[in-house]
Amino acid sequence: MQTYIALLRGINVGNKQMKMADLKLLFEELGLADVVTYIQSGNVVFASESKNGLTEKISKGIQKSFGFEVPVLVKTASEIERILAACPFSEEKKKASYFILLNEPPAKNLMEKVSQEAYSGEEFNITENCVYLFASKGYGVAKCNNNFFEKKLGVAATTRNYRTLAKLIELAK
């Protein structure tokens, strides 16, 4: 069995409400093992025999159980570790950064185009699987947020801060 981390986008904001206990139960009903949720924003650590079809299986399970669609991103702890290690910012900024995890690699021309944009107090670096964002005034007022990058890059994404990703890696080990 391999351990995975599922990151759900937009959980417990607006009308997409779910209790983590119910989400844990759903994962177990889907045949996934050693299920642990972390905070109320849709972070689930679990074990599975294979990664094949997991994203679709989880998405369909959520649709059926909760009645709404949720973008789901499934990664291994080592994939998340590599993303954290590749952060281009200083250690101090890294720990205050946000990691916009991309469901698929964006088109190169879109990556290049968006990389040319600049906003005061915001630094970002786009890779094929993550946008690294440091917002000196905080994520809540950042122009370069999850919606911004989804729209500009044409891919689904979900955002987590450094502390959350580090905790998920710890839970996965």
Side-chain angles (χ1 to χ4, degrees):
M1 287 261 222
Q2 170 75 40
T3 301
Y4 297 98
I5 299 167
L7 304 164
L8 286 59
R9 184 191 188 301
I11 293 300
N12 293 332
V13 291
N15 61 355
K16 293 185 178 179
Q17 299 292 317
M18 67 174 65
K19 293 180 179 168
M20 292 301 100
D22 294 338
L23 183 61
K24 180 181 190 294
L25 184 61
L26 170 64
F27 272 61
E28 290 168 345
E29 289 170 356
L30 293 173
L32 305 171
D34 304 324
V35 180
V36 177
T37 61
Y38 177 66
I39 62 176
Q40 297 296 311
S41 58
N43 305 296
V44 186
V45 177
F46 63 96
S48 176
E49 291 291 336
S50 170
K51 191 174 180 180
N52 292 340
L54 275 177
T55 300
E56 186 176 326
K57 180 180 189 177
I58 295 166
S59 293
K60 285 183 178 180
I62 291 170
Q63 172 86 39
K64 184 177 177 186
S65 294
F66 297 98
F68 50 81
E69 290 183 28
V70 174
V72 177
L73 181 68
V74 176
K75 298 276 188 192
T76 64
S78 61
E79 287 173 313
I80 300 290
E81 283 178 313
R82 285 192 296 276
I83 287 169
L84 289 180
C87 183
F89 304 131
S90 69
E91 197 64 26
E92 182 180 340
K93 281 185 178 180
K94 176 181 178 176
K95 290 185 177 179
S97 290
Y98 289 84
F99 300 80
I100 301 165
L101 304 159
L102 308 175
N103 279 11
E104 60 189 274
K108 296 275 188 209
N109 65 318
L110 294 177
M111 289 172 64
E112 291 169 7
K113 183 178 179 184
V114 176
S115 291
Q116 302 304 312
E117 297 194 31
Y119 298 92
S120 178
E122 298 180 33
E123 298 174 53
F124 62 87
N125 184 286
I126 304 169
T127 68
E128 289 186 351
N129 61 358
C130 183
V131 177
Y132 299 93
L133 172 67
F134 175 76
S136 63
K137 296 175 187 161
Y139 185 77
V141 296
K143 173 144 178 87
C144 299
N145 58 27
N146 198 88
N147 292 336
F148 172 88
F149 286 109
E150 279 187 326
K151 184 177 180 181
K152 297 274 187 172
L153 297 174
V155 298
T158 189
T159 302
R160 299 295 187 275
N161 64 27
Y162 175 87
R163 185 173 51 250
T164 297
L165 290 179
K167 182 64 174 181
L168 291 170
I169 291 166
E170 178 185 319
L171 290 171
K173 292 189 172 187

